[in-house]
């Protein structure tokens, strides 16, 4: 049974989301302020978080930042704002998805199921007895434990950052378009918002590259996509 936490100050919207999720077998709790939502998100063993950006006291961006620092769960941001800057900011803070209001409850349920299924599929090998690694120069990726080391110093990656890095490293010298990466890593229709790919590549470079402006590992192939160099 998956536990879903909805942080939404508009009660009618939160209740509609809850009803559709419960019909599909999820256990759902709601909080209507950012402060209460953040407190519950940090304390409760929830499987996925749905959080509105415009909240009283503590906004959705801050909730995303604090939860992502300590928990590796899917986070879906919800907003009436369509501006790319808000999407980029949210994705840059570690959110897994950005949904613009108004949207159908069935779309929300579909996205929740997709993120949970993908998360379980990718995390299934974490407790495997045999450790698998990818080693490329000073970079070491432990696939089973989902840990990344640069020059033997561990760097902390979010779930999506690790998925993207390990996928690219497992297919060296091959160019993938943003659309292909979005579909492979986020597991949804590539007609969605691919800005998240750019954001995650930038964040990975900041963590693993000695000089992010002159990347050694993740290279931009202009007009085509990205390539992992070996």
């Amino acid at each position: 049974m998956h536990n879903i936490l909805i942080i939404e100050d508009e009660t009618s919207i939160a209740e509609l989301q809850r009803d559709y999720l419960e019909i599909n077998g999820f256990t759902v709790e709601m909080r209507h302020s950012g402060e209460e939502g953040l407190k519950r998100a940090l304390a409760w063993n929830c499987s996925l978080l749905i959080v509105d950006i415009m909240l009283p006291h503590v906004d959705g961006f801050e909730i995303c930042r604090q939860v992502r620092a300590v928990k590796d769960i899917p986070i879906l941001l919800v907003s009436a704002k369509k501006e790319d800057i808000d999407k980029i900011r949210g994705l840059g803070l570690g959110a897994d998805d950005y949904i613009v209001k108004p949207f159908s409850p069935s779309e929300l349920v579909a996205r929740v199921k997709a993120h949970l299924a993908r998360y379980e599929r990718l995390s299934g090998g974490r407790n495997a007895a045999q450790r698998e690694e990818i080693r490329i120069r000073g970079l070491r990726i432990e696939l089973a434990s989902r840990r990344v080391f640069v020059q033997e110093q561990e760097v902390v990656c979010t779930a999506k950052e690790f998925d993207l890095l390990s996928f690219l490293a497992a297919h060296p010298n091959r160019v993938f378009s943003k659309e292909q990466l979005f579909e492979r890593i986020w597991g949804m229709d590539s007609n969605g918002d691919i800005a998240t790919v750019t954001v995650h590549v930038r964040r990975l470079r900041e963590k693993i590259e000695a000089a992010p402006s002159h990347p050694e590992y993740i290279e931009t192939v202009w007009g085509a996509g990205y390539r992992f160099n070996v």
Side-chain angles (χ1 to χ4, degrees), residues 97 107 110-111 114-115 118 178-197:
D97 205 351
E107 177 189 359
R111 295 202 188 197
H115 282 293
R118 185 181 165 283
K178 293 178 184 178
E179 290 80 6
Q180 287 174 320
L181 291 171
F182 184 80
E183 187 172 2
R184 292 289 189 95
I185 305 303
W186 279 261
M188 293 177 288
D189 190 331
S190 60
N191 289 327
D193 185 3
I194 63 172
T196 185
V197 177

Side-chain angles (χ1 to χ4, degrees), residues 13 19 25 29 36 56 60 71 74 93 103-104 111 113 115 119 132 135 138 140 165 171 185 191 210 218-219:
I13 294 178
D19 292 345
E29 287 194 12
E36 292 179 355
K71 289 193 174 187
L93 289 171
F103 55 85
S104 69
R111 295 202 188 197
K113 289 181 176 180
H115 282 293
Y119 181 83
E132 300 177 52
R135 289 178 177 263
R140 174 161 58 94
L165 176 62
H171 301 84
I185 305 303
N191 289 327
I218 305 177
E219 176 189 4

Side-chain angles (χ1 to χ4, degrees), residues 31 60 76 134 188 196 217:
R31 294 294 186 274
L76 280 63
I134 297 176
M188 293 177 288
T196 185
Y217 298 109

Side-chain angles (χ1 to χ4, degrees), residues 30-226:
M30 300 180 299
R31 294 294 186 274
H32 302 302
S33 77
E35 187 175 22
E36 292 179 355
L38 176 59
K39 183 178 179 180
R40 187 54 175 159
L42 295 175
W44 191 36
N45 184 30
C46 54
S47 308
L48 181 143
L49 178 64
I50 301 171
V51 55
D52 187 39
I53 290 178
M54 302 300 293
L55 291 166
H57 308 304
V58 181
D59 67 19
F61 292 127
E62 180 62 18
I63 292 173
C64 181
R65 186 187 69 79
Q66 291 198 36
V67 171
R68 178 56 72 223
V70 296
K71 289 193 174 187
D72 187 13
I73 60 172
I75 300 175
L76 280 63
L77 290 180
V78 176
S79 177
K81 294 184 176 182
K82 299 180 180 180
E83 290 82 358
D84 286 344
I85 187 64
D86 291 306
K87 296 180 182 179
I88 292 172
R89 182 183 177 190
L91 297 170
L93 289 171
D96 297 277
D97 205 351
Y98 187 103
I99 310 175
V100 178
K101 296 177 182 179
F103 55 85
S104 69
S106 57
E107 177 189 359
L108 176 67
V109 172
R111 295 202 188 197
V112 166
K113 289 181 176 180
H115 282 293
L116 287 172
R118 185 181 165 283
Y119 181 83
E120 290 180 345
R121 184 172 66 251
L122 291 171
S123 63
R126 290 183 185 182
N127 297 321
Q130 182 179 5
R131 186 178 70 177
E132 300 177 52
E133 293 184 344
I134 297 176
R135 289 178 177 263
I136 302 172
R137 297 182 295 281
L139 177 67
R140 174 161 58 94
I141 306 169
E142 294 185 358
L143 300 177
S145 65
R146 294 176 66 85
R147 301 173 72 187
V148 177
F149 297 83
V150 177
Q151 304 300 339
E152 295 308 315
Q153 295 295 315
E154 185 171 6
V155 296
V156 178
C157 294
T158 67
K160 289 295 190 299
E161 289 170 356
F162 183 89
D163 297 340
L164 179 59
L165 176 62
S166 57
F167 176 79
L168 288 170
H171 301 84
N173 298 322
R174 178 176 169 183
V175 177
F176 291 94
S177 68
K178 293 178 184 178
E179 290 80 6
Q180 287 174 320
L181 291 171
F182 184 80
E183 187 172 2
R184 292 289 189 95
I185 305 303
W186 279 261
M188 293 177 288
D189 190 331
S190 60
N191 289 327
D193 185 3
I194 63 172
T196 185
V197 177
T198 303
V199 171
H200 280 70
V201 167
R202 175 178 57 78
R203 293 177 65 200
L204 276 173
R205 284 173 172 163
E206 291 172 353
K207 294 181 178 183
I208 69 171
E209 303 281 4
S213 59
H214 296 85
E216 174 186 359
Y217 298 109
I218 305 177
E219 176 189 4
T220 298
V221 181
W222 297 106
Y226 299 103

